[in-house]
Amino acid sequence: MSIETLADARAAGVRITARCAWGRREAMKTVRECKASIRLDLETLIWTRGAAFPVSMLEGRLKCPRCGSRRVVLLFDLPANPIAKRA
């Protein structure tokens, strides 16, 4: 089963966590590393982006609320027993 859209992710029971990827360095300076992380609510994402929104485009649409960085990484938690897609 492939997961391409937010609706597919919800149907499969996938949990998505967004983590700030702002590193310890900015050019030649050392800066404080941002460690912000949050579990995304798929229902809210579907309401705001639409059920057909591609999961592959989600990373580029997010911004860290703590430091304002657009460098965000998504972590996908796949269930041990995937929920079968109902016809």
Side-chain angles (χ1 to χ4, degrees), residues 30-80:
T30 301
V31 295
R32 182 177 296 170
E33 184 176 12
C34 182
K35 296 183 187 234
S37 178
I38 190 165
R39 173 145 310 148
L40 300 178
D41 181 28
L42 282 176
E43 293 299 322
T44 302
L45 287 172
I46 289 173
W47 270 83
T48 58
R49 304 287 184 223
F53 188 82
V55 175
S56 61
M57 292 179 61
L58 189 59
E59 190 175 83
R61 300 277 201 262
L62 299 175
K63 180 178 174 181
C64 177
R66 186 175 294 166
C67 70
S69 172
R70 290 242 178 232
R71 294 182 191 172
V72 176
V73 176
L74 296 179
L75 306 169
F76 296 92
D77 185 19
L78 303 173

